Amino acid sequence: MKDFKTTIGLAALLATAALPALAQDAPAAPEAAAAVAVPTDVAFIFNTLLFLIGGFLVFWMAAGFAMLEAGLVRSKNVAMQCLKNISLFSLACTMYYLVGYNLMYPLGNWSIGSDETGGYLGAFGVAILEAVGVTSDAVDDYSYASTGSDFFFQVMFCATTASIVSGALAERIRLWPFLIFTAILTALIYPIQASWKWGGGFLDAAGFMDFAGSTVVHSVGGWAALAGAIILGPRLGKYAQGRVVAFPGSNLTLATLGTFILWLGWFGFNGASQLAMGTISDVADVSRAFANTNAAAAGGALAALAMTQIMYKKVDLTMVLNGALAGLVSITAEPLYPTLGGAILIGAVGGILVVLTVPLLDRVKIDDVVGAIPVHLVCGIWGTLAVVFSNPDATLGAQLMGIVIVGIFVFVVSAIVWLILRATTGLRATAEEETLGFDKAELGLEAYPEFTKL
Amino acid sequence: MKDFKTTIGLAALLATAALPALAQDAPAAPEAAAAVAVPTDVAFIFNTLLFLIGGFLVFWMAAGFAMLEAGLVRSKNVAMQCLKNISLFSLACTMYYLVGYNLMYPLGNWSIGSDETGGYLGAFGVAILEAVGVTSDAVDDYSYASTGSDFFFQVMFCATTASIVSGALAERIRLWPFLIFTAILTALIYPIQASWKWGGGFLDAAGFMDFAGSTVVHSVGGWAALAGAIILGPRLGKYAQGRVVAFPGSNLTLATLGTFILWLGWFGFNGASQLAMGTISDVADVSRAFANTNAAAAGGALAALAMTQIMYKKVDLTMVLNGALAGLVSITAEPLYPTLGGAILIGAVGGILVVLTVPLLDRVKIDDVVGAIPVHLVCGIWGTLAVVFSNPDATLGAQLMGIVIVGIFVFVVSAIVWLILRATTGLRATAEEETLGFDKAELGLEAYPEFTKL
Amino acid sequence: MKDFKTTIGLAALLATAALPALAQDAPAAPEAAAAVAVPTDVAFIFNTLLFLIGGFLVFWMAAGFAMLEAGLVRSKNVAMQCLKNISLFSLACTMYYLVGYNLMYPLGNWSIGSDETGGYLGAFGVAILEAVGVTSDAVDDYSYASTGSDFFFQVMFCATTASIVSGALAERIRLWPFLIFTAILTALIYPIQASWKWGGGFLDAAGFMDFAGSTVVHSVGGWAALAGAIILGPRLGKYAQGRVVAFPGSNLTLATLGTFILWLGWFGFNGASQLAMGTISDVADVSRAFANTNAAAAGGALAALAMTQIMYKKVDLTMVLNGALAGLVSITAEPLYPTLGGAILIGAVGGILVVLTVPLLDRVKIDDVVGAIPVHLVCGIWGTLAVVFSNPDATLGAQLMGIVIVGIFVFVVSAIVWLILRATTGLRATAEEETLGFDKAELGLEAYPEFTKL
């Protein structure tokens, strides 16, 4: 307990120390000369290429979530976890095509609200790409990038949000209700709230800042997971006789691999969220995002390393992995303005928060199998708040407004959906099935048929 | 049985429903203005970069095949499967350098035939790159891309073809005859038939369309595997006493990882097959290829998910993984012209075909360990045929011509090679070795020495 | 023994045969016309993009080392190996930011020496990136690339060096002394010697050639590992009763995956070391580097395949994996000038060297768990020497000078640090802890809690 207080003190100290270091590295150029040197067609190609590279990197995060979660569940639920991950990704891509994309980017065609005052509900309709062989006079936006590349990039963000949920609810939610929730999340919940910021809606108009989605993506996944975890209840035996029973992950190399995959994918997640690299200014900013993203992940991992050593006298690998992810989530709202040192500290605070929050969740008996809520929700909030330390245009009020409104919307709507599903299809496997494990009970196979001794 | 009929009906229905949706999203621009805005040197750099990015992504597919196959074989053959995969890749790269590249791209130097009437056999000689520090006046093709990048991209396609074979024949073919076949496949069989289409040969002249290789790559691997599987015979005990005995894969997380790796690599496979991104038109088409490739994989996975639920009342993870791959193969012949919705449907038909074909192969006692023949051959054919639904320049006659001619050539030549190998080196391990497993019998080690309980 | 001599003879023969084939493919263009066609801003963007792509690929190598090492240690030490890898990477990134980057690239601000005569010690200070939204008149070097991208790329090389050490010393060195060494290696040892070549120091002035770091990265990791392995001593029971006891790796699929990951990352490692792709000449050279890197890896794998078949009558998967890595290290000093055939041979000699060196290390009782010293040190030296076969500007004297000076510096300083650590914190776990395994003894968990039968 004394250690606990020491570490909280340490965390506060670190956070305070970080503040002055968060300003950007050097004064900005006074007045930018017009960058006439890059032909518009070339800039269009560069921007499109940025989305394609960023998109395939964010795609790769789907594999990262799958491996992280498959490594952190018990072997009797591993195949189901793999199945949920590839299925949710496929479903997210389909729903985002059918509804999500135009809901999120109404381009002025708001169903409720307008571009002038900020919109609340986007447009309905399937995503439509530019024609094959489109030329400069026919592209949707000559000053931007190909619509195909934009869709490809954005669909990956939608899928990422859904991936966050699957880990928290693992080992007890049945496949089909989970997939129904995923469909609603990716068709409606994610795109609608994302439109408020990235579609030019009312949160954007209010000055809310979220560069790559600490709030818009990560906290959304976290809120949906939190609502689900509460309504679903903990795994059988997790909080037996008032104690927290550890259910060790079955394969920590997979969890490590998943973390490295996510780290890699995050370069695309944050870097390509600059949305352009057709000027020196843009590509240099993309570079800052890459370097800072990496620095924050390193800071998060090191902070969790130190914290677990101090608090428990033993380093905890899964905490270090989650620490790296916490650093990544924390820098996501603002990967441009912090210095490298600031990014390390922002990430380190994220890592500390995860180490402190994981036991708190257990204390209130919210069972989050992989630590998704500490990583994506808590650090999503922290990262969104941290924008005010480095970005001169951010205000604490607008940041809080975004966090709270998105949080209430997503938590309430998610809770309603989860409750409806519980009342209709049901959410949980039977106790017998859960004890046997999903792989045998629902799928009729085993992930490691020749290995497990249990 | 009734379910079986229902699902076939469903499949037919879906396929029919897909047809009208397959046309492209919007009318093409009437007449393209000359794209003068991109300097030729810049276009050259973009094109080269596309090949480098595409090439490393397709390289990554080699790891995907290795993981997929290592996950789907029994643990006693896992190390051998890893060894075969890294060896076949290395051998393919070497043979393609020595013979394959110039056979495939004779650039007018046909040994049999000519550019005018279409060629039949390319040129012999090792691949030669441009000199170090080459300048615009000395590059092989100033309007295209660096030869080094072109070679790097194309060698990966050749290796992919060989990777397809290794999975189908796993757990019973010995290492060295397999590698000898691989050498012949990658030096001669693949490049010769690929020259007919991509080297400007007679199939290209006849109007056969295959954007990224549903036929030229995937069906070729599938035909070679089919010939091998028939001549090699099934694994011991696979079809004992008239029943099909399931041999569960030893590690489904690896199989899942392999599928995600392949999915990622496919963006390079299809996207970079545009062969250029130095204009707005080209880079927008690359974007369409990325987005459609992703959509088709999602469609394939979801279709297999639904089909196995309907047919077997249980979702089958390995079928869903193969469904995603089926979607990817199916869109490979034409990832540009379909709409996103069309791509989902083309992929979904692929996923359905896999679910229906896997049991059919077992019924005729063709033992395909990983489902390579349903995925790469059946869906390769389907994808090649599906081109006529969306690409206005494709004809059913030309597509059938390409499928049949390539199929006969590859199947017959492969069968001859397999038969010669069977008569000389022998193909199979002894029954004792096969029962013991290749890892102990041929390699003298185990992939998981501390895990397996058997 | 007779086989042993035969294979040495074969190796010598192959090496000799390779020499004439190593010259570049075609005569270089006589005099390059000024490449006026690429606007400077566009070249800047291309160069920056090259660093970003190269950087994320080299980042991925961290995952490759983690998987390779986790697969090659026994399951009782797997979680610790994962932890060491993610921790060392995070620490390397932090130290390189704090000290390393400016030590390595003093840009004229040498603490000892000068740009004119070549420097010996760089500048002290944290890395500082360009401001957000920087424009062409304010970038650090308008003719180069964004500083953020340069830092991002270079920090990955520093981390790679540290990754090499962790494998060699696995299964016996405790976490914290290892991390302290890592901090010194990445803050001081690596950057100082790297400045001698890549920072424009005295080795560069002396004509030493090392394109992407056969010496500067790989041999440095190898020398540090060698010093550590000697001072640390072998694992308990490794050389019991005068015999070499095999400790089989616990998971060869992971080791295979790690090798494929490293192979993929190496395209960035070597390709982006061209440091520019804003001209046709540069991008064509990047392409040569990609193609040759792939060819050398293939050559290394095939050579190890053939060698182990000849020497042991059994192919050894781990040797083939290390053979591929050996090929990669061997081509790293000069991936541009060799022909594709030359690259295959350079890689093949590397593969042969690994097969021959691994038993030699065991003979002198130096316990290198993953073969890092044969791969990175021996082949690092071979690759550095091989530059003289293909690059007309390289001299044997300058190459030897670089190898020896870097080797002495790194080995001596590393040994001093290891000895100080041994005398203060201690280096090794107790015999009880080592027998129990690090995962249970230091971390209190297991990587595969449900699998292992031991």
Side-chain angles (χ1 to χ4, degrees), chain A residues 182-197:
Chain A
T182 298
I184 295 164
L185 177 68
T186 55
L188 301 173
I189 301 175
Y190 169 78
I192 288 172
Q193 61 83 32
S195 76
W196 298 344
K197 168 60 192 164

Side-chain angles (χ1 to χ4, degrees), chain A residues 80-355:
Chain A
M80 176 56 94
Q81 208 57 30
C82 290
L83 178 65
K84 281 175 180 164
N85 271 277
I86 196 163
S87 301
L88 78 85
F89 182 85
S90 301
L91 193 56
C93 291
T94 305
M95 300 314 291
Y96 195 71
Y97 153 70
L98 286 173
V99 193
Y101 186 60
N102 282 325
L103 266 184
M104 183 163 159
Y105 294 106
L107 300 177
N109 296 316
W110 292 95
S111 300
I112 301 175
S114 72
D115 274 357
E116 284 66 41
T117 61
Y120 296 85
L121 187 69
F124 288 87
V126 302
I128 294 177
L129 309 183
E130 290 143 339
V132 177
V134 69
T135 50
S136 58
D137 52 342
V139 290
D140 290 340
D141 187 347
Y142 183 44
S143 67
Y144 184 57
S146 126
T147 301
S149 69
D150 183 69
F151 175 82
F152 180 72
F153 185 61
Q154 295 301 339
V155 73
M156 299 305 171
F157 277 62
C158 180
T160 300
T161 307
S163 295
I164 294 166
V165 180
S166 65
L169 309 185
E171 303 205 288
R172 58 213 195 273
I173 191 167
R174 283 168 48 222
L175 176 65
W176 289 101
F178 171 74
L179 290 181
I180 294 169
F181 181 84
T182 298
I184 295 164
L185 177 68
T186 55
L188 301 173
I189 301 175
Y190 169 78
I192 288 172
Q193 61 83 32
S195 76
W196 298 344
K197 168 60 192 164
W198 293 340
F202 75 97
L203 284 178
D204 192 54
F208 174 60
M209 299 264 183
D210 191 3
F211 190 82
S214 285
T215 287
V216 173
V217 175
H218 294 280
S219 85
V220 167
W223 288 117
L226 180 63
I230 292 171
I231 291 165
L232 193 59
R235 287 168 290 178
L236 291 178
K238 179 68 189 170
Y239 305 111
Q241 286 116 27
R243 301 185 308 113
V244 178
V245 180
F247 289 164
S250 54
N251 194 327
L252 297 191
T253 52
L254 279 191
T256 303
L257 176 64
T259 303
F260 274 114
I261 291 174
L262 287 164
W263 193 326
L264 172 57
W266 232 289
F267 297 130
F269 199 92
N270 286 359
S273 288
Q274 176 71 12
L275 308 182
M277 67 167 180
T279 64
I280 282 186
S281 174
D282 279 323
V283 83
D285 284 357
V286 173
S287 306
R288 283 190 73 97
F290 269 65
N292 277 338
T293 298
N294 189 61
L302 292 179
L305 180 80
M307 283 287 284
T308 52
Q309 176 71 40
I310 294 169
M311 284 176 67
Y312 304 117
K313 310 296 177 218
K314 277 189 174 159
V315 174
D316 184 328
L317 171 59
T318 60
M319 281 292 186
V320 174
L321 300 179
N322 270 334
L325 300 178
L328 290 163
V329 173
S330 302
I331 200 67
T332 293
E334 183 51 76
L336 283 196
Y337 277 89
T339 61
L340 284 169
I344 293 173
L345 288 166
I346 288 169
V349 173
I352 292 166
L353 286 172
V354 160
V355 175

Side-chain angles (χ1 to χ4, degrees), chain B residues 98-130:
Chain B
L98 286 173
V99 192
Y101 186 60
N102 282 326
L103 265 184
M104 183 162 158
Y105 294 106
L107 300 177
N109 297 315
W110 292 95
S111 300
I112 301 175
S114 72
D115 274 358
E116 284 67 41
T117 61
Y120 297 85
L121 187 69
F124 288 88
V126 302
I128 295 178
L129 308 184
E130 290 143 340

Side-chain angles (χ1 to χ4, degrees), chain B residues 59 89-98 127 129 148 151-152 155-156, chain C residues 263 266-267 270 287-303 323-331 335 338-351:
Chain B
F59 165 81
F89 182 85
S90 300
L91 194 56
C93 291
T94 305
M95 301 314 291
Y96 195 71
Y97 152 70
L98 286 173
L129 308 184
F151 176 82
F152 179 73
V155 73
M156 300 305 173
Chain C
W263 192 328
W266 231 288
F267 297 130
N270 287 358
S287 306
R288 283 190 73 96
F290 269 64
N292 276 338
T293 298
N294 189 61
L302 292 178
L325 300 178
L328 290 163
V329 173
S330 302
I331 200 68
T339 61
L340 283 169
I344 292 173
L345 288 166
I346 289 170
V349 173

